Amino acid sequence: MKKLTLLIASTILLSTAATASTFSTHSERTFDTDKYASQSQAMDAAKNLMTELSQMNNAQLKHRLSISDNIDYPSLKIDNMDVELHKFTNFEGKTSYSATVGVAYQYTHHESNS
C-alpha cells in the first residue's frame, strides 16, 4: 500500500510538472536595412528580407529572431510583418533611405530544467 501511495504521488507530481512547464509567447522583433539612395531601393531591401524570413525553416528562424527559449519548433510562426521607411538628410543635403521590418511572431516553449 505504501508503494502504491508513493507511485500515485509520483505520477501526480510528474504530470503536474509536465503541464506547468509549457508557455505560449507572442513577441516582436525589428530588422533595419542598410541606407540606400532611393525609397524604392530601401523598400526592395525590406521586401527581400521579408521573403527571406518567410522562407526560413523554423530552426533558421529561431536563430534569426534570437530566440533563446527551448521552443517547440512546429509552433514557431510569423503572425505579421510590416515595413516602415525612414528618410535621412545629412548636413550637406544628401538624402538616403532605410527601412525597418517589424516581425510579429509566436511560439510555444518549455521551461528549462537547468
Side-chain angles (χ1 to χ4, degrees):
M1 187 66 163
K2 203 174 196 180
K3 287 183 182 180
L4 180 60
T5 304
L6 182 58
L7 178 62
I8 292 171
S10 297
T11 303
I12 291 171
L13 182 62
L14 287 175
S15 55
T16 303
T19 58
S21 63
T22 301
F23 304 95
S24 183
T25 298
H26 296 264
S27 193
E28 295 180 9
R29 171 86 199 273
T30 58
F31 298 93
D32 294 318
T33 67
D34 292 330
K35 290 184 180 177
Y36 296 93
S38 71
Q39 287 183 3
S40 63
Q41 289 173 318
M43 185 57 101
D44 287 344
K47 287 178 184 177
N48 289 340
L49 178 58
M50 290 190 302
T51 298
E52 177 187 326
L53 290 168
S54 66
Q55 293 177 348
M56 288 181 171
N57 66 43
N58 285 0
Q60 294 167 323
L61 193 56
K62 177 187 182 215
H63 177 73
R64 188 66 188 260
L65 294 171
S66 301
I67 300 171
S68 61
D69 292 325
N70 181 21
I71 73 167
D72 176 23
Y73 280 94
S75 73
L76 177 58
K77 69 176 187 174
I78 294 175
D79 294 324
N80 187 36
M81 289 189 274
D82 57 40
V83 177
E84 184 177 327
L85 287 174
H86 308 281
K87 180 180 178 179
F88 302 92
T89 305
N90 67 14
F91 68 95
E92 297 170 344
K94 184 177 179 182
T95 302
S96 60
Y97 301 87
S98 72
T100 299
V101 176
V103 182
Y105 59 95
Q106 64 177 299
Y107 60 92
T108 302
H109 62 99
H110 307 283
E111 188 176 77
S112 177
N113 291 334
S114 54

